[in-house]
Amino acid sequence: MMDRPNFTSLCQSRGLNATADILILCRSEDGLPPPPPVPGGYKLFMAVNDFIKLAVPIIFSVGFTLNCVAFYVFSRTKLKETSSSRYIAAIAVVDNVVLLTHFLTHLSIYFEVPVFEIYGLCQINNFFNCTCIFLSIWYVTSLVIDKFIGLYWPVKKSDYCTEFRAKCVAVSFAIFSIVFYHYLVWTIGPTERYGRVLCLPMEGLAETYDKLNNLDYVVVAIIPYFTIVILLCLMTYKVCTFKSFVRQVNGSIRGRTPSVSREQELKTMPLVMAVAMTTVFLGLLHNIYRIFRVVHPVVFTGGVFLSQVSYACKMVLYLITSERCRDQLLDFGRQLVRHVTTLFSCRRHSDTEPTRFISVNQQTDRSPEFHRIIIIEGAV
C-alpha cells in the first residue's frame, strides 16, 4: 500500500493530475483527506490507466463509425417509418457527440494535447458532453416507454407512438437540456494547475457548480435508470405471460388468436431490451461513483471507460438482435460496393477513351438562322 506523499509524487510523475477527480487523489493542498489505498497496489492502477490510454482512441474510432452507420440505417432506409427508429437515430447522434467530447478530454489528460487552451473550448466541450449524456439516457428511456406502450396497449400505439410524436419528444428533450445545462457555460473555465491548463469550476462558483451538479445526478443517474429497470421488469413479465398464452392457444382449438400488433411488438423486444440493459449495466459503476462519491481511482477510471463502451457498442446490439437491421445494412453495403465499382470502371473507361468534341452546323427550313449544335461523345 502507498501513503499520501508517495501517491502524490507518483501521480505527478505519471501526469495523472489532469481531472478534478484525479486531482482529489494527487494534490496535497486544500486540506483534503488522505486518499484510500489502491487495491492491489499502484501497479494495477497504472496498468489500468495504460490500457485506457490506448483503448479510448480505438473505442472512439470504432464507435463513431458504427454510430454513423446506425444513423443512416434508421433514418435513411425503410426502417425510418417507425417511432422507435427515430429514437435510435437520435441516440446515435448524441452518442457520437459524447464520444467526441470525451476523446478531447482524453487527449488533454493522457497525451497532454493543449485542447483547453483554445478559447471557449473548455465550456463548449463540457456543455455538449453533459447535454448529450442527458439526451442519450433519456432517449433510451423514451425508446423503452415507446415499446412499453406498444406491448401493453397495442391499440393505442397508433395514436401515441407515431413518428411525429417521437420527433416532438426528441426536440423537447433537446430544448430542455440546453436550458438545464446552461450553467456550465459560466461556472466552468480553463484553470492552470501543475503546469497545464485544466477545465475546472471557477473560483467563487465551486459551491454553485456542486449544487447544480447534484441536481444533475438526480436527473441523469437516478430517475431514468429506475424508470428503465421498472419498465423492463414489467415488459419481461408481459412477454412471459404472452408466450404462455400462445402455448395454450396452440394447444386448444377454440382458443382466441393472439393480437397481430402485439406479435409485431414482440419481434422488436430483443433490440430494446438489449440496448436498455447494456446502458444500465455499463453505466452502473459510473453512477455509483457519482451518487455515492466513491473517491477511488479504479472505480472512477473503470466507470468512465465502461460508460464510453456503452456509447460505442449500440450498433453491434442492433445487428445481433434485429434481422431487419441486418438486411438494411446488407443492402447499404451492396449499394456502396456498386457505386464504388461503377466509379472506378468509369474512371478506367475515361482514361482509355478520351472525350471527343464535334461541332455540327444545321440549318432549318422554317428559319433562315443557323443553329449550332455541339455533340459530345465519350464516356460518362
Side-chain angles (χ1 to χ4, degrees), residues 45-61:
F45 178 64
M46 294 307 171
V48 172
N49 278 275
D50 291 339
F51 168 75
I52 290 178
K53 179 179 180 179
L54 300 177
V56 168
I58 297 175
I59 291 176
F60 169 74
S61 303

Side-chain angles (χ1 to χ4, degrees), residues 16-154:
L16 297 177
N17 52 357
T19 63
D21 304 282
I22 299 299
L23 278 170
I24 292 176
L25 300 175
C26 296
R27 63 187 181 183
S28 57
E29 67 269 19
D30 298 336
L32 294 173
V38 181
Y42 72 93
K43 291 184 178 180
L44 174 63
F45 178 64
M46 294 307 171
V48 172
N49 278 275
D50 291 339
F51 168 75
I52 290 178
K53 179 179 180 179
L54 300 177
V56 168
I58 297 175
I59 291 176
F60 169 74
S61 303
V62 176
F64 196 91
T65 305
L66 291 178
N67 286 332
C68 291
V69 175
F71 176 78
Y72 176 84
V73 170
F74 288 96
S75 64
R76 293 293 183 269
T77 62
K78 297 179 180 178
L79 296 178
K80 67 178 182 180
E81 300 175 356
T82 62
S83 58
S84 300
S85 298
R86 292 301 176 180
Y87 291 124
I88 294 175
I91 291 171
V93 174
V94 296
D95 283 355
N96 265 353
V97 178
V98 174
L99 290 174
L100 178 60
T101 54
H102 182 265
F103 182 66
L104 293 177
T105 305
H106 184 81
L107 291 178
S108 176
I109 295 174
Y110 290 90
F111 296 95
E112 299 184 0
V113 178
V115 176
F116 299 129
E117 292 183 4
I118 302 175
Y119 180 78
L121 189 56
C122 170
Q123 293 87 342
I124 293 174
N125 187 75
N126 278 273
F127 175 77
F128 279 104
N129 180 264
C130 294
T131 299
C132 291
I133 288 176
F134 168 86
L135 291 176
S136 180
I137 185 60
W138 276 105
Y139 285 161
V140 173
T141 306
S142 302
L143 178 64
V144 175
I145 294 174
D146 180 90
K147 190 56 59 180
F148 177 80
I149 294 175
L151 190 61
Y152 272 80
W153 302 285

Side-chain angles (χ1 to χ4, degrees), residues 123 184-191 200-207 209:
Q123 293 87 342
L184 294 173
V185 178
W186 50 272
T187 58
I188 290 181
T191 305
L200 300 175
M202 297 180 181
E203 295 183 3
L205 297 175
E207 185 177 355
Y209 172 80

Side-chain angles (χ1 to χ4, degrees), residues 134-190:
F134 168 86
L135 291 176
S136 180
I137 185 60
W138 276 105
Y139 285 161
V140 173
T141 306
S142 302
L143 178 64
V144 175
I145 294 174
D146 180 90
K147 190 56 59 180
F148 177 80
I149 294 175
L151 190 61
Y152 272 80
W153 302 285
V155 179
K156 297 181 179 180
K157 183 180 171 107
S158 58
D159 297 328
Y160 293 101
C161 301
T162 61
E163 182 182 353
F164 176 75
R165 288 181 181 271
K167 293 180 180 179
C168 292
V169 170
V171 173
S172 300
F173 275 125
I175 295 174
F176 176 81
S177 65
I178 293 173
V179 176
F180 183 76
Y181 289 101
H182 78 281
Y183 70 91
L184 294 173
V185 178
W186 50 272
T187 58
I188 290 181

Side-chain angles (χ1 to χ4, degrees), residues 224-242:
Y225 280 87
F226 273 99
T227 304
I228 291 175
V229 171
I230 293 173
L231 294 182
L232 284 180
C233 293
L234 293 175
M235 287 192 296
T236 303
Y237 171 77
K238 193 68 174 180
V239 170
C240 294
T241 56
F242 181 79

Side-chain angles (χ1 to χ4, degrees), residues 355-362 372-378:
T355 304
R356 294 173 297 171
F357 296 89
I358 303 175
S359 61
V360 179
N361 294 335
Q362 181 181 1
R372 183 178 299 273
I373 303 177
I374 300 177
I375 303 175
I376 302 177
E377 296 181 356

